[in-house]
Amino acid sequence: MPPDSPPVAAPAPDASAPSPPHQPGLLELFLAFAKMSLAGFGGVLVWARRAIVEQHRWMTAEEFNETFALCHFLPGPNIVNLSVVFGSRFRGIAGGLAAFAGLVGPPMVIATILAALYARYGDIDVLRRTLAVVFKMMMPLLKRRDVTGLVILAAVFVAIGLIRWPLQIVLLVAIPLSIATTVLARRMVRA
């Protein structure tokens, strides 16, 4: 090319080429995996795939499947392996630790608190039966992610179990409140 010729223009970037995925930070990794672990009662894989592939778009479906397949060959629970491999992919060892801590940290804290409460108050038969009923009532609310129902349940438990307000008065307030919030929620869904 002669020295007096105009420079050749660089080719335009290919608009169809996929953009690189967002690189999550350590806190973002921790919070994403903490949310997965708290949402995934009985199994976190579905929540992990939804968050990683569909919600945050940190991986394609193929990349997720390949990474998860790799995790089958590593020792230990597959979802724990996935958290470490995934976090390491974006932020190295610190990312692997952040994702792992997010996955196992919140459930471990909850279990520790419940164990401490049981160790302290577990010998009280009435409390043991009450907690069993509360957990049976909570499970459908947790599976449906019914925050309002959980708040009302917790308020009733605190009012009767801790503050020691009379059952009849608490129920006279809680039942209409519960019905009203359910009706309002259904109306909002229809609208």
Side-chain angles (χ1 to χ4, degrees), residues 170-180:
V170 172
L171 292 181
L172 281 174
V173 172
I175 290 172
L177 180 63
S178 179
I179 291 170

Side-chain angles (χ1 to χ4, degrees), residues 66-147:
E66 290 170 1
T67 304
F68 190 66
L70 166 71
C71 294
H72 284 339
F73 293 102
L74 300 172
N78 295 330
I79 193 67
V80 172
N81 294 340
L82 178 70
S83 71
V84 173
V85 169
F86 179 80
S88 298
R89 175 181 179 184
F90 289 104
R91 296 290 174 194
I93 293 172
L97 291 173
F100 172 77
L103 183 71
V104 299
M108 186 174 66
V109 168
I110 291 170
T112 302
I113 290 169
L114 291 175
L117 288 172
Y118 185 78
R120 176 77 169 103
Y121 302 107
D123 58 342
I124 302 171
D125 190 49
V126 173
L127 182 61
R128 190 175 327 134
R129 287 184 301 203
T130 303
L131 288 176
V133 170
V134 167
F135 285 125
K136 285 180 185 178
M137 291 171 63
M138 274 181 23
M139 291 316 292
L141 297 174
L142 290 172
K143 287 180 182 176
R144 281 194 340 242
R145 295 172 152 188
D146 186 355
V147 176

Side-chain angles (χ1 to χ4, degrees), residues 148-149 152 174-188:
T148 305
I152 292 173
I175 290 172
L177 180 63
S178 179
I179 291 170
T181 57
T182 301
V183 169
L184 181 64
R186 287 185 182 169
R187 285 185 184 168
M188 289 174 61

Side-chain angles (χ1 to χ4, degrees), residues 51-70:
I52 292 170
V53 175
E54 297 167 13
Q55 183 181 8
H56 297 292
R57 300 186 189 281
W58 288 330
M59 286 181 151
T60 65
E62 292 170 353
E63 291 171 325
F64 181 87
N65 291 344
E66 290 170 1
T67 304
F68 190 66
L70 166 71

